Amino acid sequence: MCGISGIYHLDGRIVDPGQLKHITNIIRHRGPDDEGYLLVNTKDSNCRDYAGEDTIPELKAILPQLKQDMKADLGFGFRRLSILDLSVHGHQPMSYHQNELWIVFNGEIYNYLELKKELLDLGQVFTTGCDTEVILAAYKVWGTSCLQKFNGMWSFAIWDKPNKRLFCARDRFGVKPFNYFFDGKTFAFGSEVKQLMNFIPNKDINNKMIYRSLKMGSFLFYGDETFYRDLKVLPHSHFLVLQNGKIHIERYFDLEDKNFETSKLNFNEACEQYRSLFEDSVRLRLRSDVEVGSCLSGGLDSSAIVCTAHHLNDRSFQTFSAYFDKPAAIDERKWIRIVNEYTGSLEHLISPKPNDVLHDLSKITWFHDTPVVGSSPVTQYYVMEAARKSGVTVILDGQGSDEITAGYNHAFYRYYADLVVRGKWDRISHELLPYLQHQQKGNPLSKLMRIFAALVMPESDIYKNELKHNQPNVLNMDFNGDELLPGFRDFKKGKLSNFLYNLVMSIFLQTLLHFEDRNSMAWSIESRVPFLDYRLVEFAFSLPNEFKIKGQYGKYIHRKSLESIVPRQIVERKDKVNFAAPGENYWLKKEFRQFYEEMLNDSNFKNRGIYDVVKIRKLYQDYLNGDNRYSSLLWKVMATEIWFRTANQN
């Protein structure tokens, strides 16, 4: 787990070592254990590696400090967080096959041992015990098709010297980030947007991203867009090749709708296979040469991870949790302690205080490079801090489960619409009434109206409608739905599968994974997400809807598959809806009130030229008077303004 950077001047200009060092050390928090550089003259193929101030002593003694001693038009920078093979052999940039291939790599290839054996049988030679070398050997043997072999999370860049080709790739679901700038003359990349700010000729804001993120916090990322017009993100499931002065971007993975809901397994067989795949995913993600712990929210997903890890290796485990005693409805300590006592885990509880959060928000926003559009991701930042202070370097977390097994409230509307379309009246007669009466969110009439909307509208139109009407528009600009959702997928398959696909591949999951990456890496923590093992994801999408939702229960197969491992009280919970925090509904009224009112009166806020200041003032006053309907929107306005204030502090 690391941070990467690179500069490639296609017009022959020489890479400035000072600039390369600067953009690499901006992300020192991603890799405090080691530092390394590579300079390449792509014309004569001369390559040299260099040390920095934090390079491990054994190499620092023999490598020169980074300097301009060659006419290099390509440079790589690297910061290392040591996880596998903690020795000098894990240093990057790493070379392979007589220095023909060079890599900077952020992430983990969990099945590297299995791949290494396969590659040894094919005649490849290894000198390290780390997964980075496996990537290089796999690329040498299989070329760009090597990506199909990897089970893990990754963003990397490989300089292919014989072919004078730069090959960059990102994992299937976007766990690890890859941002880049390209103007036809210079290609620059980095793990974080802040590394690339000095390459942008101007700092033009992408107003579509501002609009999306204020309307729906799950739209912090979409396609290749960032909050700046001139900066791009390499989309997950894609690779990029830069050769002969031209960029080629290609998709190498997708969830194919032809495979949705095609499984012929009965429910018991499906449960057995789901449990087997999940256990193997956790087993692979426990591979580490440093201590592994887990986040634990008290919900089913993180509990399943902790219990499965305990089941697999029967050892003590450190867990890290946040709690709030007010309001009582979001105090999770009861559930957290059930799991910790059940597994014998060592419990760490933290409760962020609003005044500390207010003080830290600018710093947290700097780590994120985006508005932090909720108090839940802010809380996660402090959970990661607790893990780091307890000596844990690798954390397991539960992102992805809701998206693949239908854990969200909106999934129920699509499920019941599917039952109507398919004429499954027997299931409707048994399941709809308990859902209407007992499932927590929404009254029966609103649920029926949403089911009807899911029945008659394509998925893209539902989202366009929500973007238009879900929250008031607090900007002095507007967009139509087609502008905001290019490439949104509508399938002929079931409504629920269509909904879940877009959650995973287009919208919500990308935002959650961004929070996961930035909060963990801010504290030099590697976060691993077992529910996003691609084998488990593909299997979940192959299952019929009835295995995912039953009556008032979402994630039904998840519950039933793991009920022999997870405490019964956790499996049967229906009141856990998300990782909740009180910032929006409580702190904005009290501890944040002075800050918020000062923000509304600040001349910079008023002069941004994008806000409808009068409307925002009205919404905030209504909120202070007891109207909580738009509390999340008011938080997002504050988060956006803090982002504006911190965006150029690089």
Side-chain angles (χ1 to χ4, degrees), residues 180-197:
Y180 71 93
F181 166 81
F182 183 60
D183 64 358
K185 297 178 181 179
T186 294
F187 178 80
F189 67 86
S191 297
E192 299 185 8
V193 163
K194 63 179 66 69
Q195 297 171 264
L196 305 177
M197 293 301 294

Side-chain angles (χ1 to χ4, degrees), residues 372-391:
V372 187
V373 292
S375 56
S376 291
V378 172
T379 301
Q380 187 187 46
Y381 171 86
Y382 295 100
V383 173
M384 297 299 178
E385 177 187 25
R388 188 61 179 176
K389 290 181 177 178
S390 299

Side-chain angles (χ1 to χ4, degrees), residues 358-495:
L358 184 58
H359 177 269
D360 292 339
L361 263 176
S362 291
K363 176 175 63 176
I364 297 170
T365 301
W366 183 86
F367 281 118
H368 279 262
D369 286 323
T370 64
V372 187
V373 292
S375 56
S376 291
V378 172
T379 301
Q380 187 187 46
Y381 171 86
Y382 295 100
V383 173
M384 297 299 178
E385 177 187 25
R388 188 61 179 176
K389 290 181 177 178
S390 299
V392 170
T393 310
V394 175
I395 281 286
L396 305 182
D397 210 349
Q399 305 293 8
S401 174
D402 289 311
E403 289 78 14
I404 67 172
T405 58
Y408 292 115
N409 190 51
H410 284 56
F412 287 84
Y413 313 140
R414 277 78 169 184
Y415 169 68
Y416 285 106
D418 277 336
L419 292 185
V420 172
V421 169
R422 294 167 182 178
K424 296 193 175 183
W425 305 111
D426 183 59
R427 294 192 73 92
I428 292 173
S429 65
H430 284 90
E431 296 185 27
L432 182 59
L433 187 60
Y435 163 65
L436 294 176
Q437 291 179 333
H438 301 297
Q439 210 267 352
Q440 282 195 322
K441 277 200 168 184
N443 61 63
L445 180 59
S446 70
K447 292 175 182 176
L448 287 171
M449 290 176 63
R450 289 177 180 270
I451 291 169
F452 179 75
L455 187 62
V456 300
M457 296 172 68
E459 189 68 19
S460 58
D461 285 350
I462 293 174
Y463 271 95
K464 289 173 187 176
N465 186 61
E466 290 198 4
L467 276 170
K468 191 71 176 175
H469 303 294
N470 183 47
Q471 301 273 0
N473 182 15
V474 293
L475 300 180
N476 60 12
M477 64 187 82
D478 209 345
F479 297 91
N480 65 53
D482 292 331
E483 286 182 274
L484 294 170
L485 297 175
F488 200 88
R489 301 289 296 276
D490 286 314
F491 295 116
K492 293 181 180 178
K493 292 278 186 167
K495 302 281 187 177

Side-chain angles (χ1 to χ4, degrees), residues 210-266:
I210 299 287
Y211 183 90
R212 284 193 196 102
S213 63
L214 284 171
K215 279 288 200 169
M216 296 179 72
S218 57
F219 277 89
L220 272 182
F221 288 89
Y222 194 79
D224 66 352
E225 294 183 60
T226 72
F227 277 74
Y228 295 94
R229 290 182 187 174
D230 295 327
L231 291 182
K232 301 294 183 185
V233 60
L234 178 62
H236 65 91
S237 310
H238 287 69
F239 67 79
L240 178 155
V241 172
L242 179 53
Q243 191 173 25
N244 299 323
K246 295 181 180 179
I247 278 185
H248 169 73
I249 296 176
E250 183 176 325
R251 183 166 210 144
Y252 67 86
F253 173 82
D254 201 357
L255 294 169
E256 300 291 342
D257 63 308
K258 67 182 180 182
N259 298 323
F260 295 173
E261 304 173 50
T262 56
S263 174
K264 303 302 182 186
L265 299 175
N266 64 41

